[in-house]
Amino acid sequence: MEFSDDSQILEALKNGDERAFEQLFKRFYPRLRSYAIRFTKDDDLTRDLIQDCFVRLWEKRALLASISLASLLFTMVRNACLNHLKHRSIVEKHQLSYLADIRGQERLYNVDFDMDTDQATLCEELQEHIGIVMSRLPERSREVFALSRFEGLKNREIAERLGISQTAVEKHISRAIRSFSEHFKAIYPTDIYIMVMTWVAFNYLN
């Protein structure tokens, strides 16, 4: 059985359907591998990290909300790669300049590695709120934003893939950015909001 869209796969996963899990793996593994290898430079390690992410996704399937599976998977793989580098002590804060050519969301981790407990807690909180904002976006805006910020596609490439104009792509991205700003402005005082939006802009919006 082929599942026609993410919502069907998501519902099937939550119900423990192994066919949905297999389809999800086959669909995303090639792109996840190409993405993760930029961090690890090691094909075997990349395969293991991605497989671990899929295992964790399967184990937590009952907790899945109405989210973009692509966004979730790319975020999980990104974090797995960076955590591996961190725990192997391969990367120190002053050695992270090579990450500057990796798009948006990865670059913030240049400073995350040395966070104290309170900052790390805030970082986790922000990740949760980012998921909330993403889940509330209109489906097409969420899809465009994920392709742009999580998969690193250019506006032209997104337009070609989705069969829409580049102007439409830009409007969807602008809508997403505006949603982030409005969400965080509503829940944080001004000084924290400025810090948060700097974090989010550096991490997701560039």
Side-chain angles (χ1 to χ4, degrees):
M1 174 182 177
E2 286 289 324
F3 299 91
S4 59
D5 56 43
D6 279 7
S7 62
Q8 289 185 351
I9 294 178
L10 184 64
E11 191 61 32
L13 280 175
K14 292 172 67 174
N15 292 328
D17 192 322
E18 294 182 1
R19 295 168 301 173
F21 181 73
E22 181 179 0
Q23 182 174 325
L24 189 69
F25 184 86
K26 290 180 177 178
R27 176 179 170 186
F28 283 103
Y29 179 81
R31 280 184 286 164
L32 290 170
R33 178 192 171 281
S34 297
Y35 176 69
I37 201 74
R38 293 155 54 188
F39 293 94
T40 65
K41 313 299 183 185
D42 184 318
D43 197 47
D44 290 338
L45 174 60
T46 294
R47 183 186 64 248
D48 291 343
L49 290 175
I50 293 174
Q51 289 178 345
D52 286 346
C53 287
F54 273 97
V55 169
R56 285 191 288 114
L57 178 67
W58 178 254
E59 291 174 343
K60 302 292 186 180
R61 62 188 182 277
L63 303 177
L64 293 175
S66 180
I67 58 173
S68 164
L69 289 170
S71 300
L72 177 62
L73 284 168
F74 276 89
T75 299
M76 290 176 68
V77 169
R78 178 201 67 205
N79 290 343
C81 291
L82 291 172
N83 285 337
H84 175 80
L85 294 176
K86 173 185 173 182
H87 294 305
R88 285 276 304 272
S89 299
I90 293 173
V91 178
E92 298 295 339
K93 183 177 180 180
H94 64 279
Q95 296 174 326
L96 289 173
S97 60
Y98 79 95
L99 287 179
D101 63 344
I102 298 177
R103 291 182 59 85
Q105 75 274 23
E106 294 87 3
R107 285 182 282 175
L108 182 68
Y109 287 81
N110 294 11
V111 294
D112 279 354
F113 288 172
D114 291 336
M115 279 186 172
D116 60 30
T117 301
D118 290 340
Q119 287 174 308
T121 300
L122 177 59
C123 180
E124 293 174 1
E125 178 180 311
L126 292 179
Q127 293 283 4
E128 292 180 5
H129 280 290
I130 287 167
I132 291 172
V133 175
M134 290 293 293
S135 70
R136 291 175 177 172
L137 289 174
E139 183 177 355
R140 180 47 62 91
S141 295
R142 183 168 60 246
E143 185 178 18
V144 168
F145 191 81
L147 290 173
S148 174
R149 268 50 180 183
F150 298 149
E151 299 189 41
L153 297 186
K154 299 182 184 300
N155 288 358
R156 173 182 53 77
E157 295 171 325
I158 297 171
E160 291 174 353
R161 177 179 292 191
L162 300 181
I164 60 178
S165 68
Q166 291 190 55
T167 299
V169 170
E170 292 167 2
K171 287 181 178 179
H172 284 299
I173 292 174
S174 295
R175 172 182 289 175
I177 293 173
R178 186 167 61 251
S179 296
F180 278 107
S181 178
E182 292 172 351
H183 178 83
F184 287 117
K185 193 169 187 177
I187 62 175
Y188 289 117
T190 301
D191 56 338
I192 300 297
Y193 164 75
I194 293 173
M195 182 183 71
V196 165
M197 282 309 298
T198 300
W199 190 97
V200 174
F202 200 54
N203 208 21
Y204 286 91
L205 307 184
N206 289 342

